[in-house]
Amino acid sequence: MSTVVQPCARCGARWAVQGAPMHWCPRCRGVLLSPAPIDAPADRRNYRWVARRPDQRGRRAQPPARPVTPSRTPRYTQIPRWGLIDPPPQAGAAARRPFEKLTDSVTKLLIATAGVFGLAACAELARYAVLLRNRTRLIHPAVLFASDALVIGAGVLAIVFALLAAAAATGRLIEVRQSAYAAAGRRDPRSPRALAFGSLVPVVNLLWPGVFLSEVAALRGDPRISRAVRIWWAAWVFGGLVAAAALLWRTADSLQAQADGVLFTAFADAVGAAVALLTLWVLRTIEGRDLLGRHRTARRWLIAVDPAVPVIEPVHPGGRRTAAEPVDAESAHEDNGAEDREQEEVMAK
């Protein structure tokens, strides 16, 4: 290989000289400089590299700038905070879930639903107290208006919050099923539309939510989840039957039946509050938490084979020795001497 090269003035590539020198760079068609040895020092070359600004050709000749007085080396009283910023790579945005905000607030909605149903039950009880009072005395119109407003307002709020909580719980059910099947290495065979249809359509939702939750409990293999699902399912069906009975009771004609319907409506509202809390409990049980949101600690029971042996010797009561205990002469002499010294000290005092 030739040791004489021609560098390109444009791209900087070096071309070996095989015969006659070339004039143009085969790569970029730039001007090739004179041939020189590949390791020739700068003083033996017939060219030199000059660094210029990119816009040097378009700039007009300007007078030389004034010489700049060299400044002192900068010093810092503390570690400089400036420097190159290398932000960490941002994680890709996760796919947005349908009704994401509503699903994330399922806990608040269930608690609010239980509170509103409790308020509705108290309003019905207050209405029943007004009815009892009205048997013997007239009721002021303002009291009747307040009672009607409280009963109607609490009932409407209970229905609205119940619908929102049902939608949020359905979204959480879809997420729980997806995570459970993903942990088992499978895909949920039921589509989100089928889960929503079975959980939100009246009458149908008395059966299918329990089936959906039972499938999750079978995947997890935890007996506590299965027990919680069975309890919730029974309460859910009972609550639906009580709500239907309360609606039918409102069609009664007699005054006594209507008064009894007020009490039964209060009972139905209390059942609705209990079902809301049980729904929150079963969801948190599936997630491995208790009703207050605390993570459960695992308990393991072991079979004790050998009897327990005390590690520390028990404390024996002090005092006089019994007659059965042997007493040697030296210990008896020491005890007598100690008692004599104690008596002398007491007399001295």
Side-chain angles (χ1 to χ4, degrees):
M1 182 176 179
S2 176
T3 60
V4 180
V5 295
Q6 285 183 271
C8 177
R10 177 180 294 179
C11 65
R14 295 185 298 178
W15 301 95
V17 179
Q18 303 295 340
M22 296 184 297
H23 296 283
W24 308 104
C25 177
R27 176 188 296 176
C28 65
R29 304 303 297 171
V31 178
L32 293 178
L33 303 179
S34 300
I38 190 172
D39 55 351
D43 54 356
R44 293 184 57 188
R45 301 173 187 167
N46 55 359
Y47 61 86
R48 64 188 181 91
W49 296 101
V50 179
R52 294 175 180 170
R53 296 179 180 178
D55 57 346
Q56 183 66 25
R57 295 182 180 179
R59 295 172 60 90
R60 297 181 180 179
Q62 297 181 358
R66 298 180 181 178
V68 180
T69 304
S71 59
R72 299 173 56 186
T73 303
R75 297 186 304 167
Y76 301 95
T77 58
Q78 58 184 357
I79 299 176
R81 301 299 179 185
W82 50 266
L84 299 177
I85 300 177
D86 189 10
Q90 299 293 334
R96 295 184 61 84
R97 301 166 296 170
F99 306 104
E100 180 178 0
K101 295 183 178 180
L102 188 63
T103 303
D104 293 338
S105 59
V106 60
T107 301
K108 298 179 180 179
L109 286 176
L110 288 174
I111 295 176
T113 302
V116 173
F117 269 105
L119 179 62
C122 294
E124 295 292 343
L125 292 177
R127 168 64 66 87
Y128 190 76
V130 170
L131 292 177
L132 292 179
R133 180 73 173 178
N134 194 27
R135 295 175 58 185
T136 57
R137 298 183 182 182
L138 295 177
I139 305 299
H140 195 276
V143 177
L144 292 177
F145 177 78
S147 177
D148 293 339
L150 184 59
V151 169
I152 296 175
V156 173
L157 286 178
I159 295 174
V160 172
F161 275 94
L163 294 177
L164 292 177
T170 303
R172 180 57 60 86
L173 173 63
I174 295 174
E175 294 180 356
V176 166
R177 286 180 60 90
Q178 290 178 353
S179 61
Y181 276 95
R186 299 166 54 187
R187 184 178 180 182
D188 191 356
R190 303 185 186 275
S191 63
R193 292 184 179 180
L195 295 174
F197 179 82
S199 301
L200 298 178
V201 176
V203 181
V204 179
N205 59 1
L206 294 179
L207 173 65
W208 285 109
V211 176
F212 300 152
L213 292 174
S214 298
E215 293 175 351
V216 176
L219 284 176
R220 296 291 177 85
D222 190 349
R224 289 178 295 187
I225 297 179
S226 301
R227 183 172 60 253
V229 169
R230 288 194 295 267
I231 294 174
W232 175 86
W233 199 354
W236 175 252
V237 175
F238 179 73
L241 296 178
V242 169
L247 291 177
L248 292 177
W249 207 313
R250 291 183 177 274
T251 59
D253 296 334
S254 63
L255 294 178
Q256 184 61 41
Q258 292 179 359
D260 295 339
V262 173
L263 280 181
F264 193 80
T265 304
F267 173 72
D269 292 334
V271 172
V275 170
L277 293 179
L278 284 176
T279 304
L280 178 61
W281 172 62
V282 74
L283 289 177
R284 287 186 169 177
T285 302
I286 294 175
E287 296 173 356
R289 297 183 294 172
D290 57 3
L291 183 59
L292 299 179
R294 300 170 299 187
H295 291 278
R296 295 196 305 263
T297 56
R299 295 181 180 179
R300 297 181 180 178
W301 299 91
L302 301 178
I303 301 176
V305 179
D306 299 330
V309 178
V311 180
I312 302 176
E313 183 69 13
V315 179
H316 300 284
R320 297 180 180 179
R321 294 183 176 86
T322 60
E325 295 181 354
V327 179
D328 53 354
E330 295 180 359
S331 61
H333 180 69
E334 291 176 359
D335 292 341
N336 293 333
E339 291 178 359
D340 294 338
R341 286 194 298 270
E342 290 179 358
Q343 292 179 1
E344 292 177 359
E345 292 176 359
V346 171
M347 294 297 294
K349 291 181 180 180

